[in-house]
Coordinates of all heavy atoms in Angstrom, one line a residue:
S54 N -107.7 86.5 -0.8 CA -108.8 87.3 -1.5 C -109.9 86.3 -2.0 O -109.7 85.1 -2.3 CB -108.3 88.1 -2.6 OG -107.7 87.3 -3.6
V55 N -111.1 86.8 -2.0 CA -112.3 86.0 -2.4 C -113.0 86.9 -3.4 O -113.0 88.1 -3.4 CB -113.2 85.6 -1.3 CG1 -112.4 84.6 -0.4 CG2 -113.7 86.7 -0.5
N56 N -113.9 86.2 -4.1 CA -114.9 86.9 -5.1 C -116.0 87.4 -4.3 O -116.6 86.7 -3.4 CB -115.4 86.0 -6.2 CG -114.4 85.6 -7.2 OD1 -113.5 86.4 -7.4 ND2 -114.4 84.5 -7.8
K57 N -116.3 88.7 -4.5 CA -117.4 89.3 -3.8 C -118.2 90.1 -4.9 O -117.5 90.6 -5.9 CB -117.0 90.3 -2.7 CG -116.5 89.5 -1.5 CD -116.3 90.5 -0.4 CE -115.7 89.7 0.8 NZ -115.7 90.5 2.1
C58 N -119.4 90.4 -4.7 CA -120.2 91.2 -5.7 C -121.2 92.0 -4.9 O -121.6 91.7 -3.8 CB -120.8 90.3 -6.8 SG -122.2 89.4 -6.3
V59 N -121.7 93.0 -5.6 CA -122.8 93.8 -5.1 C -124.0 93.7 -6.0 O -123.9 93.9 -7.2 CB -122.4 95.3 -5.0 CG1 -123.5 96.2 -4.5 CG2 -121.2 95.4 -4.1
I60 N -125.2 93.4 -5.5 CA -126.5 93.3 -6.2 C -127.2 94.5 -5.8 O -127.5 94.8 -4.7 CB -127.2 92.0 -5.8 CG1 -126.4 90.8 -6.2 CG2 -128.6 92.0 -6.5 CD1 -126.9 89.4 -5.7
V61 N -127.6 95.2 -6.8 CA -128.3 96.5 -6.6 C -129.7 96.4 -7.2 O -129.9 95.9 -8.3 CB -127.5 97.7 -7.2 CG1 -128.3 99.0 -7.0 CG2 -126.1 97.8 -6.7
S62 N -130.7 96.9 -6.4 CA -132.1 97.0 -7.0 C -132.7 98.3 -6.4 O -132.4 98.7 -5.3 CB -132.8 95.8 -6.5 OG -134.2 95.9 -6.9
Q63 N -133.5 98.9 -7.2 CA -134.2 100.0 -6.9 C -135.3 99.7 -5.9 O -135.9 100.5 -5.2 CB -134.8 100.7 -8.1 CG -135.5 102.0 -7.8 CD -135.9 102.7 -9.1 OE1 -135.7 102.3 -10.2 NE2 -136.7 103.8 -9.0
W64 N -135.7 98.4 -6.0 CA -136.9 97.9 -5.2 C -136.4 96.9 -4.1 O -135.8 95.9 -4.4 CB -138.0 97.2 -6.0 CG -138.5 98.2 -7.0 CD1 -139.4 99.2 -6.8 CD2 -138.1 98.3 -8.4 NE1 -139.7 99.9 -8.0 CE2 -138.8 99.4 -9.0 CE3 -137.2 97.7 -9.2 CZ2 -138.8 99.8 -10.3 CZ3 -137.0 98.1 -10.5 CH2 -137.8 99.2 -11.1
T65 N -136.7 97.1 -2.9 CA -136.3 96.2 -1.8 C -137.1 94.9 -1.9 O -136.6 93.9 -1.5 CB -136.5 96.8 -0.4 OG1 -137.9 97.2 -0.2 CG2 -135.6 98.0 -0.1
S66 N -138.3 95.0 -2.5 CA -139.0 93.8 -2.8 C -138.3 92.8 -3.7 O -138.3 91.6 -3.6 CB -140.4 94.0 -3.3 OG -140.3 94.7 -4.6
M67 N -137.5 93.3 -4.6 CA -136.7 92.5 -5.5 C -135.5 91.8 -4.7 O -135.2 90.7 -4.8 CB -136.1 93.3 -6.6 CG -135.3 92.4 -7.6 SD -136.4 91.2 -8.4 CE -135.3 90.6 -9.6
L68 N -135.0 92.6 -3.7 CA -134.0 92.0 -2.8 C -134.6 90.9 -2.0 O -134.0 89.8 -1.7 CB -133.4 93.1 -1.9 CG -132.6 94.2 -2.7 CD1 -132.1 95.2 -1.7 CD2 -131.5 93.6 -3.5
D69 N -135.9 91.0 -1.6 CA -136.5 90.0 -0.8 C -136.6 88.7 -1.7 O -136.4 87.6 -1.2 CB -138.0 90.4 -0.5 CG -138.1 91.5 0.6 OD1 -137.1 91.8 1.2 OD2 -139.1 92.2 0.6
L70 N -136.9 88.8 -3.0 CA -137.0 87.7 -3.8 C -135.6 87.1 -4.1 O -135.5 85.8 -4.1 CB -137.6 88.1 -5.2 CG -139.1 88.5 -5.2 CD1 -139.5 89.1 -6.5 CD2 -140.0 87.5 -4.7
V71 N -134.6 87.9 -4.3 CA -133.2 87.3 -4.5 C -132.7 86.6 -3.3 O -131.9 85.7 -3.4 CB -132.3 88.5 -5.0 CG1 -130.9 88.0 -5.0 CG2 -132.7 89.0 -6.3
E72 N -133.1 87.1 -2.1 CA -132.5 86.5 -0.9 C -132.8 85.1 -0.7 O -131.9 84.3 -0.2 CB -133.1 87.3 0.3 CG -132.5 87.1 1.6 CD -133.1 88.1 2.7 OE1 -133.2 89.2 2.5 OE2 -133.4 87.5 3.8
R73 N -133.9 84.6 -1.2 CA -134.3 83.1 -1.0 C -133.3 82.2 -1.8 O -132.7 81.3 -1.2 CB -135.7 82.9 -1.4 CG -136.7 83.4 -0.4 CD -138.1 83.6 -0.7 NE -138.9 83.9 0.4 CZ -138.9 85.0 1.1 NH1 -138.2 86.0 0.8 NH2 -139.7 85.2 2.1
P74 N -133.1 82.5 -3.0 CA -132.1 81.5 -3.7 C -130.7 81.7 -3.2 O -129.9 80.8 -3.2 CB -132.2 81.9 -5.2 CG -132.9 83.1 -5.3 CD -133.7 83.3 -4.1
L75 N -130.3 82.9 -2.8 CA -129.0 83.1 -2.3 C -128.8 82.3 -1.0 O -127.8 81.5 -0.8 CB -128.8 84.6 -1.9 CG -128.6 85.6 -3.0 CD1 -128.5 87.0 -2.4 CD2 -127.3 85.3 -3.8
K76 N -129.8 82.3 -0.1 CA -129.7 81.4 1.1 C -129.7 79.9 0.8 O -129.0 79.2 1.3 CB -130.8 81.8 2.1 CG -130.5 83.1 2.9 CD -131.5 83.2 4.0 CE -131.1 84.4 4.8 NZ -131.9 84.6 6.0
S77 N -130.6 79.6 -0.1 CA -130.7 78.2 -0.4 C -129.5 77.6 -1.1 O -129.2 76.4 -0.9 CB -132.0 77.9 -1.3 OG -131.8 78.3 -2.6
E78 N -128.7 78.4 -1.8 CA -127.5 77.9 -2.4 C -126.3 78.2 -1.5 O -125.1 78.0 -2.0 CB -127.3 78.6 -3.8 CG -128.4 78.1 -4.7 CD -128.1 78.3 -6.2 OE1 -126.9 78.3 -6.5 OE2 -129.0 78.4 -6.9
G79 N -126.4 78.7 -0.3 CA -125.4 78.9 0.6 C -124.5 80.1 0.4 O -123.4 80.2 1.0
F80 N -125.0 81.1 -0.3 CA -124.2 82.4 -0.5 C -124.3 83.2 0.8 O -125.4 83.3 1.4 CB -124.7 83.2 -1.7 CG -124.4 82.6 -3.0 CD1 -125.3 81.8 -3.7 CD2 -123.2 82.9 -3.6 CE1 -124.9 81.3 -4.9 CE2 -122.9 82.4 -4.8 CZ -123.7 81.6 -5.5
V81 N -123.2 83.8 1.2 CA -123.2 84.7 2.4 C -123.4 86.0 1.8 O -122.8 86.4 0.8 CB -121.9 84.6 3.1 CG1 -121.7 85.5 4.2 CG2 -121.6 83.2 3.6
F82 N -124.3 86.8 2.4 CA -124.6 88.1 1.9 C -124.9 89.1 3.0 O -125.2 88.7 4.1 CB -125.8 88.1 0.9 CG -127.1 87.6 1.4 CD1 -128.0 88.5 2.0 CD2 -127.3 86.3 1.4 CE1 -129.1 88.1 2.5 CE2 -128.6 85.8 1.9 CZ -129.4 86.7 2.5
E83 N -124.8 90.4 2.6 CA -125.2 91.5 3.6 C -126.3 92.2 2.8 O -126.2 92.4 1.6 CB -124.0 92.4 3.8 CG -123.0 91.9 4.8 CD -123.6 91.7 6.2 OE1 -124.4 92.4 6.6 OE2 -123.1 90.7 6.8
R84 N -127.1 92.9 3.5 CA -128.2 93.7 2.9 C -128.0 95.1 3.4 O -127.8 95.4 4.6 CB -129.6 93.2 3.4 CG -130.5 93.1 2.4 CD -131.8 92.5 2.8 NE -132.9 93.3 2.2 CZ -134.0 92.8 1.7 NH1 -134.1 91.5 1.6 NH2 -134.8 93.6 1.2
L85 N -128.1 96.1 2.5 CA -128.0 97.5 2.8 C -129.2 98.2 2.3 O -129.5 98.1 1.1 CB -126.8 98.0 2.2 CG -126.4 99.5 2.6 CD1 -126.0 99.6 4.0 CD2 -125.2 99.9 1.7
E86 N -130.0 98.8 3.1 CA -131.3 99.4 2.7 C -131.3 100.8 3.3 O -130.8 101.1 4.3 CB -132.5 98.6 3.2 CG -132.6 97.3 2.7 CD -133.8 96.6 3.2 OE1 -134.8 97.2 3.5 OE2 -133.8 95.3 3.4
G87 N -132.1 101.7 2.6 CA -132.3 103.0 3.1 C -133.0 103.2 4.4 O -132.8 104.1 5.2
C88 N -133.8 102.1 4.8 CA -134.4 102.2 6.1 C -133.6 101.9 7.3 O -134.0 102.0 8.4 CB -135.7 101.3 6.1 SG -135.3 99.6 6.0
M89 N -132.4 101.4 7.0 CA -131.4 101.0 8.1 C -130.8 102.3 8.8 O -130.7 103.3 8.1 CB -130.3 100.2 7.5 CG -130.6 98.8 6.9 SD -129.3 98.0 6.0 CE -128.3 97.4 7.4
S90 N -130.6 102.2 10.0 CA -129.9 103.3 10.8 C -128.5 103.4 10.2 O -127.9 102.5 9.6 CB -129.9 103.0 12.3 OG -129.0 101.9 12.5
Q91 N -127.9 104.6 10.5 CA -126.5 104.8 10.0 C -125.6 103.8 10.7 O -124.7 103.2 10.0 CB -126.1 106.2 10.4 CG -124.7 106.6 9.8 CD -124.5 108.1 10.1 OE1 -125.1 108.7 10.9 NE2 -123.4 108.5 9.4
H92 N -125.8 103.4 11.9 CA -125.0 102.5 12.6 C -125.1 101.1 11.9 O -124.1 100.4 11.7 CB -125.3 102.4 14.1 CG -124.6 101.3 14.8 ND1 -123.2 101.4 15.1 CD2 -125.0 100.1 15.3 CE1 -122.8 100.2 15.7 NE2 -123.9 99.4 15.8
A93 N -126.3 100.6 11.7 CA -126.6 99.3 11.0 C -126.0 99.3 9.6 O -125.4 98.3 9.2 CB -128.0 99.0 10.9
R94 N -126.0 100.4 8.9 CA -125.4 100.4 7.6 C -123.9 100.2 7.7 O -123.2 99.6 7.0 CB -125.6 101.8 6.9 CG -127.0 101.9 6.4 CD -127.2 103.3 5.7 NE -128.6 103.6 5.5 CZ -129.0 104.5 4.7 NH1 -128.2 105.2 4.0 NH2 -130.3 104.8 4.6
A95 N -123.3 101.0 8.7 CA -121.8 101.0 8.9 C -121.4 99.5 9.3 O -120.4 99.0 8.7 CB -121.4 101.9 9.9
V96 N -122.2 98.8 10.2 CA -121.9 97.4 10.5 C -122.0 96.6 9.3 O -121.1 95.7 9.0 CB -122.9 97.0 11.6 CG1 -122.8 95.4 11.8 CG2 -122.6 97.7 12.9
A97 N -123.0 96.7 8.5 CA -123.1 95.8 7.2 C -122.0 96.1 6.3 O -121.4 95.1 5.8 CB -124.5 96.2 6.6
L98 N -121.6 97.3 6.1 CA -120.5 97.6 5.2 C -119.2 97.1 5.7 O -118.3 96.6 4.9 CB -120.4 99.1 4.9 CG -121.5 99.8 4.0 CD1 -121.4 101.3 4.1 CD2 -121.3 99.2 2.6
R99 N -119.0 97.2 7.0 CA -117.7 96.6 7.6 C -117.7 95.2 7.4 O -116.6 94.6 7.1 CB -117.7 97.0 9.1 CG -116.3 96.7 9.7 CD -116.2 97.2 11.2 NE -116.7 98.5 11.4 CZ -117.9 98.8 12.1 NH1 -118.5 97.8 12.7 NH2 -118.3 100.0 12.2
R100 N -118.9 94.4 7.7 CA -118.8 93.0 7.5 C -118.6 92.6 6.0 O -117.8 91.7 5.8 CB -120.2 92.4 7.9 CG -120.2 92.1 9.4 CD -121.5 91.2 9.7 NE -122.7 91.8 9.2 CZ -123.6 92.3 10.0 NH1 -123.5 92.3 11.3 NH2 -124.7 92.8 9.5
F101 N -119.2 93.3 5.1 CA -119.0 93.1 3.7 C -117.5 93.2 3.3 O -116.9 92.4 2.6 CB -119.8 93.9 2.8 CG -119.6 93.7 1.4 CD1 -120.2 92.6 0.8 CD2 -118.9 94.6 0.6 CE1 -120.0 92.4 -0.6 CE2 -118.7 94.3 -0.8 CZ -119.2 93.1 -1.4
S102 N -116.9 94.3 3.8 CA -115.5 94.6 3.4 C -114.4 93.7 4.1 O -113.4 93.6 3.6 CB -115.2 96.1 3.5 OG -115.3 96.4 4.9
T103 N -114.7 93.2 5.3 CA -113.7 92.6 6.1 C -113.9 91.1 6.2 O -113.0 90.3 6.5 CB -113.6 93.1 7.5 OG1 -114.9 93.0 8.2 CG2 -113.2 94.6 7.4
D104 N -115.2 90.6 6.1 CA -115.5 89.1 6.2 C -114.9 88.4 5.0 O -115.1 88.8 3.9 CB -117.0 88.9 6.3 CG -117.4 87.5 6.7 OD1 -116.5 86.6 6.5 OD2 -118.5 87.3 7.1

Side-chain angles (χ1 to χ4, degrees):
S54 65
V55 295
N56 288 329
K57 292 187 178 189
C58 72
V59 176
I60 299 171
V61 178
S62 177
Q63 184 175 355
W64 299 279
T65 55
S66 57
M67 184 63 171
L68 297 176
D69 294 341
L70 294 173
V71 170
E72 191 171 316
R73 280 161 174 76
L75 287 174
K76 280 191 171 185
S77 71
E78 293 198 29
F80 286 96
V81 177
F82 61 90
E83 286 294 328
R84 223 176 136 133
L85 185 69
E86 298 181 32
C88 65
M89 296 171 75
S90 69
Q91 187 174 15
H92 174 73
R94 288 181 194 198
V96 169
L98 287 171
R99 189 175 318 109
R100 274 194 304 251
F101 178 79
S102 62
T103 60
D104 190 340

